[in-house]
Amino acid sequence: MSDSEEDSQDRQLKFVVIGDGACGKTSIATRFAQEAFGKQYKQTIGLDFFLKRISLPGNVNVTLQVWDIGGQTLGGKMLDKYVYGTPLWSCCIMQ
């Protein structure tokens, strides 16, 4: 293993996007993670997630998990499971 591999730091961050149905959550998540907008979207049932890997100065590699939670899930029993371990500041609430 080279020195640069030993010095690299890998991090994971989880972001949750929640909000009313059809308010643009999937559009935002897709644009951020895949750098593209889709022309058509299907309603998100339950949840979908995207990954984006970035490299930061100081040889820090970060994997961002973007969780796109369907609007109908907001009142459901699983919401607390989806946001578990996510700091409140990393939740994007859209209306």
Side-chain angles (χ1 to χ4, degrees):
M1 190 179 293
S2 71
D3 288 338
S4 61
E5 289 178 13
E6 290 177 6
D7 293 340
S8 71
Q9 299 176 27
D10 294 335
R11 304 266 197 264
Q12 286 192 6
L13 295 173
K14 177 180 175 182
F15 290 86
V16 178
V17 183
I18 58 177
D20 294 335
C23 70
K25 299 178 301 293
T26 300
S27 294
I28 297 271
T30 303
R31 174 64 179 100
F32 175 73
Q34 299 175 353
E35 299 181 5
F37 278 115
K39 293 183 179 183
Q40 295 180 340
Y41 291 99
K42 294 180 182 175
Q43 180 182 13
T44 303
I45 305 298
L47 75 99
D48 196 2
F49 69 91
F50 303 88
L51 295 176
K52 180 164 180 113
R53 292 179 177 89
I54 59 173
S55 295
L56 299 175
N59 206 19
V60 176
N61 299 311
V62 179
T63 300
L64 299 171
Q65 299 176 5
V66 181
W67 292 50
D68 173 20
I69 299 180
Q72 79 284 357
T73 309
L74 292 179
K77 298 176 183 177
M78 293 297 292
L79 184 59
D80 61 335
K81 312 280 189 285
Y82 296 149
V83 299
Y84 178 79
T86 306
L88 182 59
W89 59 266
S90 68
C91 291
C92 175
I93 302 170
M94 300 181 67
Q95 297 180 353

